[in-house]
């Protein structure tokens, strides 16, 4: 295999582009079992997988992504029988969630067993476990036969990848292989819920909604807002995420008027909206329809694509927090670094 060195780092020259054929899935699994890194599609976003039981393989994930070491990884499984060796206990709340939502876009945080290397859990005494429902992900995980630690397959801080080409943009030459399974159907990272203590805590909103969770568990505490001064419970949440290079503003109130007035200050402007107005000619418009699932599925691709077109600023229309919109909003606000423009009657309020 060919490598080149840059400073102290060693990079592979070539990332294998694999299909979803049985032969390619077997190849991908062999690379992973040999200690390598393989990006694979799931219904949420593309994951960057390593053998979760191999601490040194897991450390390569942090290097390739430039991920801070205090940000834990999710462990992916294909069979519910794999859970028992990864955690100390599967309590009633965990059982209810697994029964209702696995396989699916939800990560369940439980007290970890000694089998989980501390690099996976970032030194915490808990581990997040997920069984995805994407058939390609399940075939790959089964071929691996080991639990697979996988965060999103992007450079840390960039929008998560929802296409194989997004993974290649960020990680080509830094990882062993990418399995191309087309577009991710949910398009946002999994819901993360911590059931390791008595009161379930929703650490990250995602494809399984708050409403669905409360139906199964009763009381669920929202624990994903990063209020100033308070340490967020989910370590990854303190970092700015999902950000394109251009600054993003979430616009509340009179969206069209805001865009018309403020786009004059720039040469090229990105606009994300469901409105049908005619925007100035220097605006590149990404129009989402009224179907919330379709906005969720496309948000990250919009951000990457606007970046690719070289816009200087992105104006995104605010949306409500019902159902999947809670998760879309969460990612949008993070991409914006919480920059909000409240615009009414021709001026900022
Ligand atoms: P990613 O898949 O890239 O979104 O990264 C996984 C995210 O899951 C992390 O950033 C954390 O926010 C969350 N997570 C994973 N394991 C745990 C855990 N043990 N406790 C709390 N949050 C976790
Ligand atoms: Mg991520």
């Amino acid at each position: 295999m060919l490598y080149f060195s840059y400073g102290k780092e060693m990079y592979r020259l070539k990332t294998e582009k694999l299909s979803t054929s049985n032969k390619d899935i077997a190849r991908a699994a062999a690379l992973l079992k040999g200690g390598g890194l393989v990006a694979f599609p799931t219904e949420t976003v593309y994951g960057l997988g390593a053998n979760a039981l191999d601490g040194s393989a897991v450390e390569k994930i942090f290097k390739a992504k430039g991920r801070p070491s205090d940000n834990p990884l999710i462990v992916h499984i294909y069979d519910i029988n794999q859970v028992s060796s990864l955690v100390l206990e599967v309590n009633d709340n965990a059982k209810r969630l697994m029964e209702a939502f696995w396989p699916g876009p939800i990560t369940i945080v439980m007290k970890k067993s000694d089998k989980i290397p501390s690099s996976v859990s970032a030194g915490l005494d808990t581990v997040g476990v997920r069984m995805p429902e994407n058939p390609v992900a399940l075939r790959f995980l089964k071929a691996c036969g080991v639990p697979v630690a996988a965060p999103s397959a992007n450079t840390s801080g960039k929008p998560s990848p929802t296409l194989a080409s997004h993974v290649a943009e960020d990680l080509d030459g830094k990882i062993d292989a990418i399995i191309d399974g087309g577009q991710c159907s949910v398009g946002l990272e999994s819901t993360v819920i911590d059931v390791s203590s008595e009161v379930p805590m929703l650490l990250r909103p995602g494809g399984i909604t708050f409403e669905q969770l409360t139906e199964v568990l009763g009381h669920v505490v929202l624990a994903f807002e990063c209020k100033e001064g308070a340490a967020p419970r989910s370590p990854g949440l303190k970092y700015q995420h999902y950000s394109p290079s251009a600054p993003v503003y979430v616009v509340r109130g009179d969206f069209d008027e805001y865009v018309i007035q403020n786009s004059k200050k720039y040469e090229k402007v990105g606009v994300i909206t469901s409105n049908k107005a005619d925007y100035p000619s220097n605006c590149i418009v990404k129009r989402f329809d009224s179907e919330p699932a379709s906005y969720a599925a496309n948000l990250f691709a919009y951000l990457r694509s606007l970046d690719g077109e070289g816009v200087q600023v992105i104006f995104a229309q605010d949306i409500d927090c019902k159902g999947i919109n809670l998760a879309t909003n969460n990612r949008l606000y993070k991409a914006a670094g919480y920059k909000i423009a409240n615009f009414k009657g021709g001026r900022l309020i």
Side-chain angles (χ1 to χ4, degrees), residues 273-333:
T273 181
S274 63
N275 291 356
K276 303 268 172 4
D278 281 330
Y279 296 102
S281 58
N282 62 336
C283 293
I284 298 173
V285 182
K286 301 289 174 193
R287 197 163 266 126
F288 60 90
D289 59 37
S290 55
E291 181 53 55
S294 110
Y295 188 20
N298 287 302
L299 174 66
F300 288 144
Y302 291 160
L303 295 175
R304 277 186 181 263
S305 148
L306 289 172
D307 241 0
E309 303 208 50
V311 301
Q312 292 150 311
V313 68
I314 297 172
F315 299 138
Q317 190 175 15
D318 197 22
I319 52 169
D320 67 38
C321 285
K322 287 192 208 111
I324 184 84
N325 275 352
L326 182 67
T328 312
N329 241 320
N330 172 260
R331 308 311 194 269
L332 184 59
Y333 276 76

Side-chain angles (χ1 to χ4, degrees), residues 74 76 98 115 141 188 213 255 269 296 301 316 349:
I74 293 167
H76 292 72
M98 289 172 191
K115 268 196 137 187
L141 293 169
L188 300 177
L213 293 171
F255 183 77
V269 175
I349 53 171

